[in-house]
Amino acid sequence: MIMYTMMPDELIFPIGQETFEKQQVIDYNGIPLLVAKNELHEFEVVRVLSTDPSHYLHAPVQPGAKIPLM
């Protein structure tokens, strides 16, 4: 079956509960981020939650970037 849609994959195929439980919202240098804790005891940025467009240009907080635990 082929599904043609503009909806994001997350709405059609929700993530598992264990993945959701690893995620949390933090404030890093004044920028709200959705992060997931990994097995190396650091946060990995999942999504930038800021409404300021300039925050999306900061390389240290781009999705996939690693942030040490505070």
Side-chain angles (χ1 to χ4, degrees), residues 4-69:
Y4 298 100
T5 180
M6 294 178 62
M7 302 289 282
D9 289 342
E10 299 88 30
L11 293 178
I12 299 169
F13 307 107
I15 59 175
Q17 184 67 24
E18 64 279 348
T19 305
F20 181 73
E21 290 172 351
K22 293 180 184 177
Q23 296 180 351
Q24 61 183 337
V25 176
I26 65 166
D27 188 46
Y28 182 72
N29 292 337
I31 303 172
L33 302 170
L34 178 66
V35 296
K37 188 187 280 188
N38 63 17
E39 57 277 346
L40 300 175
H41 300 294
E42 55 189 8
F43 290 127
E44 182 175 348
V45 178
V46 175
R47 184 176 294 163
V48 179
L49 300 175
S50 177
T51 57
D52 185 355
S54 67
H55 289 162
Y56 291 86
L57 300 175
H58 294 300
V61 296
Q62 290 180 349
K66 305 287 193 271
I67 299 174
L69 287 176

